Amino acid sequence: QLAEYIWEDIFERFEQILNLAGAIEALSADEESEAQTIGQAVDEYAPMMFTAGREQGIPLGYKKLDAIINNLDAGNMVIIAARPSVGKSAFVTEVAINMAKAGKRVGIYSLEMTNREVYERMIAHESGISISKVRRSQNFVGDEKRLFDDGNESLRKLRIFLSDELRTVSKMRASMKRNKVDVAIIDYAQ
């Protein structure tokens, strides 16, 4: 019975992911694309191959992971899925910071956390102060005040756009266009 329950839970979560994927795919539904001949593809892509120092795609900021997945390409949709409380939101928050530090405009659309909670994760990451201490907002110890201030200055320079209010795909899409984001992160779980 336990195995049956686990499989039901897995299938239910997979169905939720597919529904979300369909909603995200609808973001580009009105964009038309033309078919390309293989000859056109050769002309476009062959000159870029085997070029020394060529950086391809958008790195996540984790060298080993980037080497394995070969960075992200424009138009990719990546789903980060795992059991609750294993660090999915923390991971994508760090990825957002890494991408923004690499010069990308990043939109974070959170349906789970408030903008404050996203900021708390980001300042904890940037300052090295534990998330629990950031959330409790207790007195600084040692050089934590300097670390906190330095972390805030670092975050202030990044082109990261937060939204915890946009609940529809069309509103997220409008925000993405308005803010000209290179990468959109939608943090959502059912």
Side-chain angles (χ1 to χ4, degrees), residues 64-75:
K64 289 182 180 180
L65 181 58
D66 288 333
I68 292 169
I69 66 169
N70 199 25
N71 301 332
L72 300 179
D73 285 325

Side-chain angles (χ1 to χ4, degrees), residues 25-74:
E25 186 176 0
L27 289 173
S28 61
D30 69 348
E31 296 176 8
E32 293 183 27
S33 64
E34 292 294 319
Q36 183 179 46
T37 68
I38 190 62
Q40 291 169 322
V42 168
D43 292 342
E44 183 175 349
Y45 305 121
M48 294 184 267
M49 301 296 169
F50 301 100
T51 305
R54 175 177 71 105
E55 182 68 29
Q56 182 176 329
I58 302 169
L60 299 176
Y62 295 93
K63 291 184 191 246
K64 289 182 180 180
L65 181 58
D66 288 333
I68 292 169
I69 66 169
N70 199 25
N71 301 332
L72 300 179
D73 285 325

Side-chain angles (χ1 to χ4, degrees), residues 13-167:
R13 290 189 187 280
F14 186 68
E15 184 175 344
Q16 292 168 354
I17 289 168
L18 290 177
N19 289 338
L20 178 60
I24 293 170
E25 186 176 0
L27 289 173
S28 61
D30 69 348
E31 296 176 8
E32 293 183 27
S33 64
E34 292 294 319
Q36 183 179 46
T37 68
I38 190 62
Q40 291 169 322
V42 168
D43 292 342
E44 183 175 349
Y45 305 121
M48 294 184 267
M49 301 296 169
F50 301 100
T51 305
R54 175 177 71 105
E55 182 68 29
Q56 182 176 329
I58 302 169
L60 299 176
Y62 295 93
K63 291 184 191 246
K64 289 182 180 180
L65 181 58
D66 288 333
I68 292 169
I69 66 169
N70 199 25
N71 301 332
L72 300 179
D73 285 325
N76 283 159
M77 178 176 66
V78 178
I79 298 173
I80 308 296
R83 300 293 300 165
S85 300
V86 295
K88 296 177 300 292
S89 295
F91 174 70
V92 296
T93 299
E94 290 181 20
V95 166
I97 290 171
N98 293 340
M99 289 178 166
K101 284 182 177 178
K104 300 301 178 189
R105 298 172 68 90
V106 181
I108 299 178
Y109 304 92
S110 181
L111 305 178
E112 286 191 325
M113 296 186 294
T114 65
N115 287 347
R116 178 184 174 135
E117 290 171 311
V118 173
Y119 161 72
E120 288 170 345
R121 286 181 184 273
M122 289 186 163
I123 190 59
H125 176 266
E126 281 300 287
S127 67
I129 300 170
S130 74
I131 186 77
S132 59
K133 182 152 192 178
V134 167
R135 286 188 174 151
R136 288 192 309 260
S137 299
Q138 295 178 339
N139 294 332
F140 293 112
V141 176
D143 66 345
E144 287 179 337
K145 171 73 169 129
R146 180 188 57 77
L147 293 171
F148 182 76
D149 291 343
D150 290 350
N152 279 312
E153 282 307 309
S154 176
L155 289 175
R156 196 173 264 118
K157 295 173 187 173
L158 301 178
R159 295 181 298 175
I160 297 177
F161 304 88
L162 306 178
S163 178
D164 58 4
E165 296 180 358
L166 302 177
R167 300 285 184 210

